[in-house]
Amino acid sequence: MKLKNDIYIYEWTNPFENNCNSFFVGGNVNALIDPGLTGYVPDLLGKMSADGINKEDIRYVINTHSHPDHFEGSEVFDQEKVKVGLHTKEIEFLKGAGGELYSLFGINVPRMNVNFPLEEGDVVLGDQTFKIILAPGHSPGSIGLYWPEQKALFCGDVIFDQSVGRTDFPGGNGALLKKSIISFSELYLELILPGHMGIVSGRSNIQNNFNFIIQGIFPYI
Ligand SMILES: [Zn+2]
């Protein structure tokens, strides 16, 4: 579904199974953010094609982190043609404890090399400049993908609508999660696009959400 401008949203609405929200940035960017579990990628591609976006249009797959419900589906994209991105810290994590998480869920780590290692700072996708913000806490190499032109933040599982990412998985860290959320709160934002649950839009709603989390949830992290 087209949300606004070139941002498309594919929200996960099945409460009985785990998977993430996926997003697509169209225009000249053509980036899929968090493809989700491999088993649900055909369904995602079907929804995208109803919006006029074909699999062949996708030039980038940007992963906010390596957890299976976000990253596993990266394996279905042809690495000769598609740049699959993950932060370098998360690539390392996936070789150890992050990979063991897959076996906990009874699935295999995708057999692929991430061909687009991400570092903090500006990254140019198509004709747009985005910012990679390292945001550990939910996982060691989680990122926020910030799009200054749209004042939009793809924040993965760092922060949600009135909630925050779990810190009890391997590599989780509550103190770091708080720091990451504070750094997100300092961005100029009009749109928060999280990995689960609904989006948060509008400056005052976003500010209220940060306030609620910092005052109401931080004491328990
Ligand atoms: Zn998740």
Side-chain angles (χ1 to χ4, degrees):
M1 186 191 93
K2 191 164 189 163
L3 182 67
K4 62 179 275 200
N5 301 324
D6 290 326
I7 301 175
Y8 294 78
I9 175 168
Y10 301 95
E11 258 180 304
W12 183 251
T13 50
N14 182 340
F16 302 105
E17 294 187 60
N18 194 30
N19 197 33
C20 71
N21 295 332
S22 300
F23 302 96
F24 182 75
V25 178
N28 283 310
V29 176
N30 295 308
L32 175 63
I33 293 127
D34 285 356
L37 287 166
T38 301
Y40 295 118
V41 171
D43 180 59
L44 170 66
L45 292 173
K47 287 181 181 144
M48 290 173 70
S49 109
D51 287 336
I53 304 155
N54 298 312
K55 190 182 177 194
E56 298 70 46
D57 299 331
I58 300 169
R59 292 172 59 199
Y60 303 94
V61 173
I62 305 294
N63 291 284
T64 59
H65 60 297
S66 69
H67 287 170
D69 57 329
H70 298 253
F71 171 75
E72 191 198 17
S74 298
E75 66 184 354
V76 310
F77 295 90
D78 180 352
Q79 285 179 69
E80 301 289 311
K81 295 176 186 148
V82 180
K83 287 188 168 183
V84 178
L86 191 64
H87 194 279
T88 49
K89 284 215 160 95
E90 197 73 353
I91 295 172
E92 282 308 306
F93 173 62
L94 193 56
K95 290 176 186 161
E100 286 158 24
L101 190 63
Y102 277 74
S103 21
L104 277 180
F105 289 107
I107 48 181
N108 296 318
V109 178
R111 278 187 211 91
M112 55 173 289
N113 289 314
V114 174
N115 59 5
F116 190 38
L118 304 172
E119 294 284 0
E120 271 210 288
D122 288 351
V123 62
V124 177
L125 307 176
D127 62 355
Q128 297 290 313
T129 301
F130 294 77
K131 208 174 265 297
I132 305 286
I133 302 162
L134 180 63
H138 178 64
S139 71
S142 279
I143 59 156
L145 179 69
Y146 180 51
W147 190 4
E149 194 191 89
Q150 300 289 327
K151 299 173 184 64
L153 178 69
F154 302 92
C155 64
D157 288 2
V158 174
I159 182 170
F160 304 117
D161 185 2
Q162 305 200 21
S163 188
V164 300
R166 297 171 59 159
T167 55
D168 58 337
F169 284 129
N173 182 310
L176 289 177
L177 187 78
K178 289 185 197 178
K179 270 194 186 166
S180 297
I181 291 169
I182 294 291
S183 77
F184 283 177
S185 75
E186 288 161 357
L187 296 168
Y188 191 99
L189 291 173
E190 284 174 0
L191 194 54
I192 289 187
L193 304 152
H196 301 278
M197 301 180 273
I199 62 168
V200 187
S201 66
R203 292 275 296 152
S204 64
N205 289 338
I206 288 170
Q207 201 52 58
N208 289 342
N209 195 48
F210 278 118
N211 290 344
F212 173 83
I213 286 165
I214 291 165
Q215 287 159 22
I217 299 180
F218 271 25
Y220 301 97
I221 303 175

